[in-house]
């Protein structure tokens, strides 16, 4: 027995907010047969297991619906618009430039599309990828695993936890732990401790946030017994706990993109793409967290919707730009997205680029230049802080030379 | 015959009631003990295999470099040299028969300076003395053509075309499965604490009560010296020599085609870069002499050292994501050979000091031990064929269930993926949980299926896999 071969007009890999947003918009605008493939049994992506509010607002944690409700509304919108949504179907690799192989309980398929949209999301780096030494006992989680364990499977977690990281998702992890009846004894971050007071513990005390502190080892054999840390001033301590959650530190799920020889941006580690969400592979678009580690679900959904117009344009015109200049950042900036200049002069979502910084910058002056020529300078009014998005206007793009060298963004 | 595997409660036999009496008891269900039990299963003997842990292969055997060695660099004339050479052939054939993945990728001993380059001919000669005749010298250009991602400065190499990579987890599992299928009793969570030796039997005091056995085989790995001392022998001391390793993402696999070995020095075999049968790339191991036999943790210093060495060998490797960091402990005894010794008058065999080649040599060690047992007054009788076993394929170079249309058509569970990074299906997890030697922890399940072993380390599948494990628990 072999693979069942089929064709569709647009194939979307990943049924999270980004893929569902793309599917809904494309199906509604008459792109033909639009099919979304999701490897989980239920579509909706990460929000399915984020049982806290904060979805649909512009920033993570800022009001709005709960994750599952948000996921359901994304699914409903895609299906209502006429997209075909298939769950339990994993795209396992490429069999041609716009042809993928899939595995599902119903069998193996080989699907060829006129355009492929990658929307495979991002994950948190686990303890091993962060090279945290020590023993390897049970009790070590990422937020993603923790949230699924608590909200989807009602599993027992532990009694005392330490949360590593200080991103919005770290707070979500701490909340999930509290819901699961786990005492969060400390949050640890290698960055300066935020002013914001941390959570309240069952004892009535506040959870201390240990800033400028790194995790030096995990201890315990049958079960985690502690997290050893070192403060910037050299003091060391071991925090007694049976659970540790490594939060944030995002890495796009770029396996399929890389296997398809899509060039990645060195900063984001997601596919390099332009304002029209085009990668450097003809007919292959990318949207959502795959492009930039973590943004809010609202941004992922909006990117999904925004890709519809360029996909439709491509389906009719069929052309694809080559040799676009990259947009790159200088340290301490970490990355910028999009990171290719769109030669058609298109602007990114909401007319602005998203950036991240490695360290706090108070009202930085961002300077954009290409081949020694300054294209734009812009002072940010608010400080830029690590792990939070900040933005650069895109209205200088028409001054960039589409045939020129790399466009550099630096801080002055 | 339904296999006898016990994990809790007093050790008893049905008929007559009381503490069990075995002809032979093997202490230690690592790759060596399991291989011995399998070998003994061919004879009409009442054999027991005991382990202190909750699973087979849960000691040193789960955490090695997983290379099927040719033995080209062993000490010529040593017992180890012979058993590695022989074991390699036996295990290769056994793997082909049972479906244990093996890939003959070949090794390159890379010389990074003139001094190392100058030692290659001597290593070639040593390989010949070890009866290995396929090795040959490569110049810098040919080396670079073979391994284009190698760092700058490599001057040449010795090629060992038969060095292979193998699955370290299904190997002991295949042995244990075949052994219990053929009637060997496997007792887990069963640590031997004391031994009383009488005229016709040893009485082992275990954490699960007494057990009597006529013959005793000590395959206790790191603890073989302590078990020896229980019987009054003080021949050697096991010093744990830790090896820490870094596993890189599967996306790094295209960077390397061979096992890249360093030219050995007095300090040991050194740090290698090697593909794994799971499609990852290994960097390691370190060699650190410790005194704690439980110190399988990793350290910041070793990780930094490995990264520094790896950067020289394969610079691009360091840009790839790390999937896992782990450590194993070799059983060093201060002698460059195995410490296998039979004491026929005591009906006791020590299989100690199985240092850094035990996976490769396991089947040959087992055959050697059976010979020694035959020579110590136990009538083995004639061997019979063992029931065949087929292992689930965990290897990336061979078809996996998620790629098999026929299998999925017959049973859709093989098309339902649970662990996405490693592409492990619900069908495989179900099979492992219901297998003849089932796992007793999510970690044991991971070693039987690869579930949870991938780049996300459970971000996506951790909770789902744990739920399947808990569901299947009796
Ligand atoms: C723990 C956590 C808490 C968060 N909290 C908030 C919050 O409070 N508010 C907020 O706005 N945002 C929050 N976010 C961010 C938000 O969840 C993401 O921005 C959003 O889910 C990104 O959508 P996406 O579609 O790009 O990716 P995902 O939601 O990750 O979806 C990607 C989908 O692709 C599927 N997939 C991947 N590879 C394949 C393949 N080969 N074949 C088939 N399917 C595949 C995956 O199974 C997945 O369902 C949180 C994120 C996390 C991880
Ligand atoms: C870093 C590293 C790399 C290596 N690389 C390779 C390689 O590439 N190729 C190769 O061939 N070999 C390699 N090896 C060597 C190989 O892993 C070992 O030789 C082999 O696993 C030893 O098996 P074993 O059965 O003797 O020991 P173990 O696997 O340790 O088994 C001993 C068992 O005895 C049990 N036990 C101990 N005391 C008691 C007691 N009192 N009562 C009950 N049970 C007890 C333990 O629980 C344990 O399960 C490597 C080793 C290391 C550490």
């Amino acid at each position: 027995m072999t693979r069942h071969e089929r064709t569709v007009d647009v194939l979307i890999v990943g049924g999270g907010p980004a893929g569902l947003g793309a599917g809904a918009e494309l199906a509604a605008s008459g792109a033909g047969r639009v099919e979304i493939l999701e490897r989980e049994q239920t579509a909706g992506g990460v929000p399915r297991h984020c049982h806290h509010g904060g979805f649909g607002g512009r920033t993570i944690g800022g009001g709005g619906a709960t994750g599952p409700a948000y996921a359901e509304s994304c699914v409903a919108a895609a299906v209502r618009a006429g997209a075909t949504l298939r769950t339990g179907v994993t795209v396992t690799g490429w069999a041609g430039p716009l042809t993928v192989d899939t595995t599902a309980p119903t069998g193996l398929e080989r699907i060829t599309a006129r355009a492929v949209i990658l929307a495979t999301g991002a994950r948190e780096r686990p303890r091993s990828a962060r090279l945290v030494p020590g023993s390897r006992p049970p009790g070590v989680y990422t937020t993603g695993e923790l949230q699924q364990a608590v909200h989807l499977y009602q599993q027992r977690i532990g009694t005392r936890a330490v949360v590593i990281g200080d991103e919005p998702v770290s707070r979500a992890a701490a909340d999930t732990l509290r819901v699961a009846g786990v005492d969060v004894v400390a949050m640890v971050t290698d960055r300066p401790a935020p002013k914001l007071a941390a959570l309240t513990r069952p004892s009535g005390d506040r959870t201390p946030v240990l800033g400028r502190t790194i995790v030096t080892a995990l201890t315990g054999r049958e079960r985690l017994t502690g997290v050893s840390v070192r403060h910037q001033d050299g003091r060391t301590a071991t925090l007694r706990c049976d659970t540790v959650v490594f939060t944030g530190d995002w890495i796009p799920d770029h396996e399929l993109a890389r296997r398809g020889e899509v060039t990645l941006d060195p900063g984001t580690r997601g596919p390099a793409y332009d304002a029209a969400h085009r990668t450097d592979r003809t007919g292959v678009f990318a949207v959502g967290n795959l492009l930039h580690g973590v943004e809010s679900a609202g941004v992922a959904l909006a990117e999904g919707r925004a890709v519809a117009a360029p996909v439709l344009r491509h389906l009719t015109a069929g052309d694809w730009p080559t040799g676009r200049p990259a947009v790159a950042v200088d340290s301490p900036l970490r990355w910028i997205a999009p990171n290719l200049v769109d030669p058609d002069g298109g602007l990114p979502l909401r007319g602005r680029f998203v950036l991240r910084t490695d360290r706090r910058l108070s009202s930085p002056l961002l300077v954009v230049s290409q081949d020694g020529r300054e294209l734009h300078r812009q002072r940010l009014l608010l400080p830029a802080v690590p792990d939070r998005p900040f933005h650069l206007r895109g209205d200088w793009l028409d001054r960039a030379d589409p045939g020129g060298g790399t466009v550099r963004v630096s801080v002055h | 015959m339904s296999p006898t595997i016990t994990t809790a409660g007093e050790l008893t036999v049905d008929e007559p009631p009381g503490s069990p009496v075995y002809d032979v008891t093997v202490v230690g269900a690592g790759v060596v003990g399991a291989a011995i039990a399998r070998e003994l299963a061919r004879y009409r003997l009442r054999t027991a295999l005991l382990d202190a842990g909750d699973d087979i292969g849960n000691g040193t055997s789960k955490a090695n470099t997983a290379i099927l060695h040719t033995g080209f660099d062993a000490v010529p004339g040593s017992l180890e040299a012979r058993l590695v050479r022989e074991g390699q052939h036996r295990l290769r054939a056994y793997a082909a028969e049972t479906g244990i993945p093996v890939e003959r990728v070949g090794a390159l001993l890379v010389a990074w300076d003139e001094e190392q380059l100058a030692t290659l001919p001597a290593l070639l000669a040593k390989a010949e003395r070890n009866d290995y005749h396929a090795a040959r010298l490569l110049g810098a250009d040919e080396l670079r053509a073979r391994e284009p991602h190698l760092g700058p400065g490599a001057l040449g190499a010795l090629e060992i075309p038969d060095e292979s990579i193998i699955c370290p987890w299904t190997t002991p599992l295949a042995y244990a499965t075949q052994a219990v299928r053929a009637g060997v009793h496997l007792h887990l969570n069963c640590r031997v604490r004391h031994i009383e030796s009488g005229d016709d039997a040893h009485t082992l005091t275990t954490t699960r009560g007494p057990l009597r056995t006529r013959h005793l085989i000590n395959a206790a790995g790191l603890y073989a010296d302590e078990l020896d001392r229980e019987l009054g022998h003080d021949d050697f001391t096991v010093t744990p020599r830790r090896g820490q390793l870094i596993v890189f993402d599967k996306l790094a696999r295209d960077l390397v085609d061979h096992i890249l070995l360093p030219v050995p020095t007095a300090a040991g075999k050194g740090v290698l870069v090697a593909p794994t049968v799971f499609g990852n790339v290994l960097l390691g191991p370190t060699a650190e002499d410790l005194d704690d036999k439980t110190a399988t943790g990793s350290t910041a210093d070793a990780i930094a050292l490995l990264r520094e060495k790896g950067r020289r060998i394969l610079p691009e490797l360091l840009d790839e994501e790390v999937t896992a960091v782990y450590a194993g402990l070799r059983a060093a005894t201060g002698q460059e050979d195995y410490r296998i010794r039979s004491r026929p008058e005591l009906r006791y065999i020590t299989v100690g000091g199985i240092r850094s080649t035990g996976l490769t040599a396991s089947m040959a060690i087992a055959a050697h031990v059976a010979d020694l047992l035959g020579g110590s007054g136990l009538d083995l009788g004639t061997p019979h064929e063992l029931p065949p076993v087929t292992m689930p394929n965990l290897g990336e170079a061979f078809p996996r269930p998620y790629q098999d249309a026929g299998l999925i058509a017959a049973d859709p569970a093989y098309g339902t993926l649970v662990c996405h990074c490693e592409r492990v299906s619900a069908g495989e997890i179900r099979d492992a949980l219901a297998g003849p030697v089932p796992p007793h922890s999510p970690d044991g399940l991971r070693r039987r299926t690869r579930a949870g072993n991938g780049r996300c380390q459970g971000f996506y599948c951790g909770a789902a896999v744990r739920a399947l494990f808990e569901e299947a628990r009796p």
Side-chain angles (χ1 to χ4, degrees):
Chain A
M1 250 176 278
T2 48
R3 289 183 182 272
H4 178 54
E5 300 199 16
R6 293 194 300 119
T7 58
V8 299
D9 292 292
V10 183
L11 187 76
I12 300 167
V13 187
L20 293 167
E25 200 71 16
L26 279 158
S29 46
R33 184 174 169 97
V34 177
E35 188 163 308
I36 308 168
L37 303 181
E38 168 55 50
R39 64 190 183 184
E40 297 288 344
Q41 303 306 315
T42 317
V46 164
R48 280 180 311 122
H49 48 79
C50 298
H51 277 228
H52 51 86
F55 285 85
R58 287 222 170 161
T59 55
I60 298 177
T66 66
Y70 190 78
E72 273 169 40
S73 74
C74 293
V75 169
V79 172
R80 207 179 323 113
T84 304
L85 172 61
R86 294 172 63 217
T87 57
V89 185
T90 304
V91 175
T92 57
W94 298 87
L98 292 172
T99 305
V100 300
D101 283 345
T102 68
T103 290
T106 48
L108 306 185
E109 288 191 326
R110 178 158 290 177
I111 307 173
T112 300
R114 297 168 61 214
V116 172
I117 302 174
L118 301 178
T120 52
R123 64 177 193 276
E124 296 162 295
R125 281 198 177 82
R127 171 264 179 108
S128 52
R130 303 179 195 214
L131 300 177
V132 172
S135 56
R136 307 210 307 159
V140 183
Y141 293 87
T142 48
T143 316
E145 179 174 1
L146 173 76
Q147 291 190 330
Q148 294 194 47
V150 172
H151 296 306
L152 300 185
Y153 294 94
Q154 288 80 41
Q155 286 166 357
R156 272 206 56 233
I157 303 302
T159 55
R160 291 166 57 87
V162 170
V163 172
I164 314 295
D166 174 40
E167 297 188 34
V169 71
S170 320
R171 309 261 147 183
D175 282 338
T176 303
L177 286 165
R178 279 201 304 186
V179 168
V182 185
D183 181 11
V184 183
V185 297
M187 294 180 75
V188 176
T189 169
D190 54 358
R191 308 248 158 85
K195 300 237 165 35
L196 200 74
L199 318 124
T200 307
R201 297 173 56 187
S203 59
D205 303 336
R206 308 295 268 170
T207 297
V209 181
L210 311 178
R212 299 186 199 276
T213 301
I214 59 165
V215 180
T216 53
L218 302 188
T219 56
R221 288 186 66 79
E222 303 301 313
R223 178 73 195 194
L224 183 77
T225 55
V227 172
S228 303
V229 297
R230 188 172 59 237
H231 304 284
Q232 195 181 33
D233 60 13
R235 279 177 306 127
T236 60
T238 295
L239 310 168
R240 208 164 48 76
C241 60
D242 58 15
T243 305
V244 60
V245 188
F246 287 87
T247 71
D249 193 356
W250 303 91
I251 171 88
D253 254 299
H254 57 213
E255 176 177 8
L256 204 58
R258 274 187 73 179
R259 298 257 185 241
E261 285 165 16
V262 171
T263 302
L264 301 189
D265 176 75
T268 60
R269 301 228 153 200
Y273 74 109
D274 66 14
H277 288 273
R278 291 175 295 202
T279 69
D280 68 347
R281 279 251 333 247
T282 303
V284 178
F285 296 81
V287 289
N289 273 350
L290 166 65
L291 294 171
H292 40 52
V294 85
E295 282 288 314
S296 72
V299 169
L301 179 70
E303 285 181 349
R305 288 193 180 132
V307 82
V311 170
L312 286 169
R313 225 166 41 228
H314 172 67
L315 292 181
T316 14
D319 59 336
W320 201 262
T322 52
R324 288 157 286 178
V327 185
V329 292
D330 291 327
S331 174
L333 299 176
R334 181 193 286 259
W335 55 251
I336 186 165
N339 29 50
L340 292 176
V341 173
D342 178 358
D344 309 331
L347 287 180
L349 193 66
R350 299 192 186 118
R352 61 196 198 180
F353 289 81
V354 191
L355 293 95
R356 287 288 193 285
T357 176
D358 277 330
R359 63 175 162 80
R360 187 192 157 88
L361 307 165
S362 35
S363 59
L365 176 65
L366 299 179
V367 176
V368 184
S369 57
Q370 183 185 31
D371 302 325
R373 190 165 56 93
E374 187 172 309
L375 302 180
H376 176 70
R377 53 171 57 212
Q378 178 185 342
R379 167 120 15 227
L380 300 188
L381 299 176
L382 293 172
V385 293
D387 304 319
R388 306 284 197 287
F390 58 99
H391 302 95
L392 169 72
R393 283 205 316 269
D395 50 12
W396 48 269
L397 270 165
D398 53 359
R399 294 194 286 282
D401 174 4
T406 297
V407 173
R408 301 215 73 88
V409 181
S410 49
V411 185
H412 286 242
Chain B
M1 183 175 3
S2 80
T4 300
I5 302 177
T6 72
T7 58
E10 289 278 303
L11 297 166
T12 52
V13 279
D14 299 341
E15 262 326 302
S19 60
V21 184
Y22 290 102
D23 295 318
V24 189
T25 295
V26 182
V27 180
V31 73
V32 171
I36 295 169
R38 175 193 165 277
E39 184 66 32
L40 298 181
R42 300 166 66 226
Y43 301 94
R44 232 165 274 291
L45 299 170
R46 287 171 54 82
T47 302
L49 176 62
L50 314 185
D51 203 282
D54 69 357
D55 200 356
I56 61 117
N58 207 10
T60 295
S61 299
K62 75 175 175 194
N64 52 44
T65 319
I67 292 170
L68 185 59
H69 295 291
T70 56
F72 77 95
D73 59 348
V75 177
S78 63
L79 179 63
E80 183 179 19
R82 171 165 77 81
L83 296 181
V84 168
R85 188 162 62 235
E86 216 179 282
Q88 176 232 154
H89 293 298
R90 282 175 185 259
L91 182 48
R92 199 182 295 274
Y94 184 68
E97 203 178 291
T98 53
I100 296 166
V102 171
E103 285 179 60
R104 186 178 165 278
V105 291
L108 299 172
L109 250 118
V110 181
W112 294 95
D113 58 38
E114 291 296 341
E115 196 186 325
Q116 291 179 0
L117 191 66
T119 59
L120 294 185
L123 284 162
L124 178 65
K126 188 177 186 185
E128 303 269 346
R129 269 185 289 147
N130 279 317
D131 217 12
Y132 185 75
H133 304 289
R136 69 187 192 96
L137 295 167
L138 301 186
D141 293 344
E142 196 178 347
L143 172 58
R144 190 145 303 277
R146 294 283 204 89
E147 288 291 354
H149 299 279
L150 218 53
L155 300 178
L158 179 67
E159 188 200 6
I160 321 293
D162 298 295
E163 289 276 303
S164 303
I165 53 178
I166 186 168
C167 175
W169 300 327
T170 39
T171 301
L173 184 63
Y175 297 157
T177 303
Q178 219 170 8
V180 299
R181 280 227 176 117
V184 171
H185 292 185
L186 173 62
H187 301 299
L188 298 170
N189 296 316
C190 186
R191 179 180 298 282
V192 176
R193 292 191 183 284
H194 301 293
I195 304 170
E196 289 289 336
S197 293
D199 284 344
D200 57 354
H202 304 276
T203 302
L204 313 186
T205 306
T206 79
T207 43
R208 295 179 50 204
L211 176 150
R212 281 157 56 75
T213 185
R214 291 211 289 135
H215 291 259
L216 180 64
I217 297 173
N218 169 3
L222 296 167
Y223 299 89
D225 57 342
E226 292 171 31
L227 219 57
D228 251 12
R229 282 196 276 273
E230 268 301 311
L231 280 116
H233 308 297
D234 203 352
D235 286 359
F236 62 89
T237 298
V238 175
T239 305
R241 179 169 295 163
R242 181 164 61 190
Q244 302 190 38
L245 293 124
I246 300 178
V247 184
F248 285 88
D249 193 283
K250 292 183 201 318
L251 291 161
R253 178 65 182 82
D254 292 343
L255 294 175
V256 58
D257 284 329
H258 303 79
I259 301 160
L260 302 177
L261 301 172
V263 175
T265 63
K269 286 192 178 172
V271 172
L272 57 79
V273 171
T276 74
V277 292
F278 313 119
N280 298 76
V281 177
L282 271 184
L283 169 64
T286 55
E288 312 153 48
D289 285 334
L290 308 174
D291 43 29
D292 179 357
K293 290 177 177 176
T294 64
T296 51
S298 56
T299 61
D301 287 350
I303 292 171
L305 174 95
L306 290 178
R307 286 171 57 82
E308 183 194 314
K309 301 230 178 208
R311 195 181 302 282
R312 169 132 199 226
I313 303 167
L314 211 60
E316 290 162 75
L317 185 61
L318 277 294
D319 292 336
E320 298 292 345
E321 293 291 315
V322 168
T323 301
V325 177
Y326 68 91
L329 302 174
R330 308 168 186 86
T333 63
Q335 183 183 307
E336 287 208 31
D337 204 351
Y338 295 161
R339 303 282 187 126
I340 302 181
R341 175 158 178 197
S342 173
R343 293 186 170 85
E345 67 293 358
L346 295 171
R347 304 171 316 281
Y348 176 63
I349 302 175
T350 304
V351 188
I354 311 299
R355 320 177 305 145
S356 56
T357 49
L359 171 59
T360 306
S362 51
M363 294 189 90
I365 294 172
H368 180 61
V369 168
D371 280 350
L372 294 173
L373 202 57
S376 64
L378 181 67
D379 180 14
L380 297 176
T382 44
H384 56 82
E385 287 279 304
L386 289 171
V389 292
T390 305
M391 287 291 110
N393 166 41
L394 303 189
E396 205 56 27
F398 307 91
R400 308 253 326 277
Y402 82 89
Q403 299 165 308
D404 187 337
L407 193 62
I408 295 168
D411 183 350
Y414 294 110
T416 305
L417 297 197
V418 177
C419 165
H420 301 297
C421 304
E422 299 291 305
R423 302 201 174 138
V424 183
S425 64
E428 291 160 276
I429 291 174
R430 175 204 61 203
D431 294 351
L433 289 168
V437 184
H440 298 283
S441 67
D443 210 41
L445 179 61
R446 180 177 67 83
R447 290 198 299 274
R448 284 163 178 80
T449 60
R450 284 169 49 171
N453 212 33
R455 59 173 69 92
C456 88
Q457 295 281 298
F459 178 96
Y460 289 114
C461 74
V465 171
R466 207 171 314 113
L468 291 173
F469 174 79
E470 296 292 343
E471 240 169 65
R473 252 226 262 256

